């Protein structure tokens, strides 16, 4: 998927706040195969997210985002490790402490961490060099970095972290992309999982999350095996391939194929990144995506909340923002609306939208994903 800016300091940690959200009340879309993504697990709680900030401020903004959503209790948080140096991939960023503290505050919270597989992950490394790095990883050259990360996460009290490892591996740009050598990529993934699972007291879950669509390589060619994958994720934005939401569902390697693949392999699904993009303020896309989420019950999903993708910290999508805000107020799955005991009744959306942060969010989204070639 194309739409990432580069982080000024080269260290790309981002956040997603998440909460319980079940969607209802939208016009009925065309019928597709329902609930295919539950993989035999009918868990009724869907943790919802929104990218708010790459570091500790993302934790602090969760309460504001919760108020905007009608005081939905946020239950998950999502951030990214930088892919610039091995020390950062090992978990050096100080903001991890803030996320760990947030996670430990309530037993039912979910901490989701995107982890690069290689350093210099956005350095435009050519295919030949990327292939050699993948082969070195497959031989075990980098195992120690991931053991250190696992040890750090356990020491921080988040041994049950959901690890989104090598995300968007089917794309064109990341050094940890799969296309240069799919077989070595799969072997390398397996080594990383083995290294992290070797750490005492860990309970990690590993999320395999490609881009929607074919992109540079069919993501099914990169799948490393059921024994080393716990969740089948997908990053999906309102852009080609798939000009309409129906096409985004039915296209090769699209939403339906993800759901069917997960069901066949007995896995839960997730949507670590999704949001608006090339079709602008598109309330129909927003409505349909939320309905798809409601029907298929992923473990979690995270809307990317900066311009042009978002709904709260971005003021250029008012119609889609209204859809997003009204859907959670309709139904939270449990039949009740969780409340924050120490918060007053939420004011009108304009009163709690953070206009002072608009420029920073628009110009420097610190998730740092490079673009694939234009179609």
């Amino acid at each position: 998927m194309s739409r990432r800016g580069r982080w000024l300091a080269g260290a790309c940690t981002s956040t997603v706040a998440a909460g319980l959200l079940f969607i209802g009340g939208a016009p009925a879309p065309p019928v597709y195969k329902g609930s295919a993504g539950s993989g035999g697990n009918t868990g009724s709680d869907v943790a919802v997210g929104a990218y708010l900030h790459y570091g500790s401020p993302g934790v602090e903004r969760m309460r504001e985002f919760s108020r905007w959503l009608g005081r939905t209790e946020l239950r998950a948080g999502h951030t990214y490790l930088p892919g610039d140096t091995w020390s950062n991939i090992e978990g050096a960023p100080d903001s991890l402490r803030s996320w760990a503290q947030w996670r430990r505050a309530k037993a039912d919270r979910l901490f989701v961490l995107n982890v690069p597989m290689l350093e210099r992950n956005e350095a435009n490394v050519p295919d030949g060099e990327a292939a050699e790095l993948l082969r070195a990883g497959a031989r075990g050259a980098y195992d120690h970095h991931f053991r250190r990360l696992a040890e750090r996460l356990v020491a921080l009290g988040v041994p049950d972290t959901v690890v989104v490892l090598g995300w968007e591996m089917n794309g064109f740009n990341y050094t940890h992309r799969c296309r240069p050598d799919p077989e070595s990529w799969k072997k390398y993934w397996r080594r990383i999982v083995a290294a992290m699972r070797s750490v005492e007291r860990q309970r990690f879950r590993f999320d395999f999350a490609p881009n929607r669509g074919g992109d540079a390589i069919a993501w099914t060619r990169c799948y490393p095996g059921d024994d080393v994958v716990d969740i089948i994720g997908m990053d999906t934005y309102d852009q080609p391939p798939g000009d309409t939401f129906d096409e985004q569902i039915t296209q090769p390697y699209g939403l339906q194929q993800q759901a069917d693949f997960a069901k066949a392999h007995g896995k839960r699904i997730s949507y670590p990144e999704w949001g608006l993009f090339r079709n602008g303020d598109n309330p129909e896309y927003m409505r349909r995506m939320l309905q798809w989420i409601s029907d298929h019950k992923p473990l979690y999903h995270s809307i990317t909340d900066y311009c042009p993708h978002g709904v709260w910290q971005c003021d250029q999508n008012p119609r889609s923002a209204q859809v997003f805000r009204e859907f959670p107020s309709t139904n939270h799955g449990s039949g009740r609306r969780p409340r924050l005991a120490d918060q007053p009744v939420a004011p009108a959306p304009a009163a709690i939208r953070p206009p002072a942060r608009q420029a920073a969010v628009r110009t420097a989204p610190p998730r740092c994903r490079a673009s694939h070639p234009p179609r």
Side-chain angles (χ1 to χ4, degrees):
M1 294 296 167
S2 59
R3 76 233 170 271
R4 284 291 179 244
R6 297 212 172 258
W7 190 20
L8 298 177
C12 307
T13 50
S14 78
T15 68
V16 177
L20 301 177
L21 174 59
F22 269 89
I23 322 304
V31 175
Y32 297 93
K33 302 173 186 177
S35 302
S38 59
N41 186 337
T42 59
S44 60
D45 289 343
V46 180
V48 183
Y51 167 80
L52 299 172
H53 189 274
Y54 58 88
S56 299
V59 180
E60 299 162 4
R61 293 178 192 177
M62 287 184 184
R63 188 176 298 277
E64 296 174 71
F65 188 70
S66 170
R67 291 173 62 202
W68 183 75
L69 281 178
R71 296 187 297 181
T72 299
E73 185 178 4
L74 301 180
R75 193 171 59 83
H78 181 189
T79 191
Y80 297 74
L81 288 176
D84 53 346
T85 65
W86 279 119
S87 62
N88 278 326
I89 295 173
E90 291 173 0
D94 289 340
S95 60
L96 271 186
R97 296 183 181 276
S98 299
W99 288 107
Q101 183 179 14
W102 173 86
R103 165 64 187 90
R104 295 194 308 266
K106 289 194 176 182
D108 65 345
R109 286 177 173 173
L110 186 72
F111 179 49
V112 181
L113 181 66
N114 277 46
V115 176
M117 294 171 70
L118 290 166
E119 67 174 348
R120 298 186 299 131
N121 199 35
E122 298 188 52
N124 297 315
V125 172
D127 278 356
E129 184 178 353
E132 287 300 321
L133 292 170
L134 293 174
R135 291 166 195 152
R139 294 191 298 267
Y142 312 125
D143 290 2
H144 58 290
H145 297 299
F146 296 96
R147 279 194 296 269
R148 288 173 185 164
L149 171 61
E151 290 166 354
R152 182 162 288 169
L153 292 172
V154 170
L156 287 171
V158 285
D160 56 351
T161 297
V162 174
V163 177
V164 187
L165 180 63
W167 69 97
E168 300 174 9
M169 77 298 295
N170 60 327
F172 287 85
N173 300 98
Y174 285 139
T175 304
H176 70 209
R177 63 194 182 272
C178 173
R179 184 179 70 166
D181 190 337
E183 293 306 312
S184 291
W185 192 93
K186 290 185 285 188
K187 291 176 183 177
Y188 183 29
W189 171 292
R190 297 183 66 86
R191 289 207 67 109
I192 293 171
V193 172
M196 294 188 70
R197 286 180 174 170
S198 71
V199 173
E200 188 177 358
R201 301 194 309 279
Q202 66 79 31
R203 303 193 306 277
F204 303 124
R205 284 180 286 179
F206 292 88
D207 191 339
F208 173 85
N211 287 318
R212 173 177 54 80
D215 222 331
I217 186 173
W219 51 260
T220 52
R221 289 187 58 194
C222 308
Y223 187 68
D226 289 345
D227 58 326
V228 290
V229 172
D230 302 289
I231 305 159
I232 307 293
M234 180 166 282
D235 288 357
T236 177
Y237 288 82
D238 186 24
Q239 67 168 358
D243 293 323
T244 69
F245 194 78
D246 289 339
E247 291 173 354
Q248 293 175 23
I249 292 173
T250 59
Q251 69 180 127
Y253 310 105
L255 293 171
Q256 188 68 60
Q257 188 163 352
Q258 177 220 14
D260 291 343
F261 188 90
K263 183 177 181 180
H265 290 261
K267 308 297 182 182
R268 293 290 299 274
I269 61 173
S270 73
Y271 297 104
E273 295 183 28
W274 70 276
L276 304 160
F277 193 26
R278 298 196 184 278
N279 295 323
D281 185 5
N282 186 353
E284 177 63 13
Y285 164 82
M286 184 63 62
R287 191 175 296 113
R288 293 290 301 281
M289 185 63 191
L290 290 171
Q291 188 63 54
W292 177 267
I293 288 167
S294 177
D295 291 344
H296 291 77
K297 299 177 176 60
L299 178 64
Y300 69 93
H301 70 93
S302 305
I303 188 170
T304 301
D305 196 56
Y306 59 76
C307 289
H309 315 299
V311 292
W312 180 54
Q313 296 186 120
C314 177
D315 60 4
Q316 69 186 41
N317 300 312
R319 296 182 300 157
S320 299
Q322 182 178 358
V323 171
F324 189 90
R325 190 169 187 264
E326 289 177 351
F327 271 58
S329 69
T330 302
N331 183 1
H332 291 279
S334 63
R336 64 179 180 86
R337 298 180 66 181
R339 305 185 69 85
L340 299 176
D342 57 346
Q343 285 292 335
V345 175
I352 58 176
R353 185 181 295 276
R357 291 196 281 265
Q358 292 293 324
V361 172
R362 286 174 178 153
T363 58
R367 253 285 284 105
C368 303
R369 185 165 72 190
S371 302
H372 59 56
R375 297 179 182 276

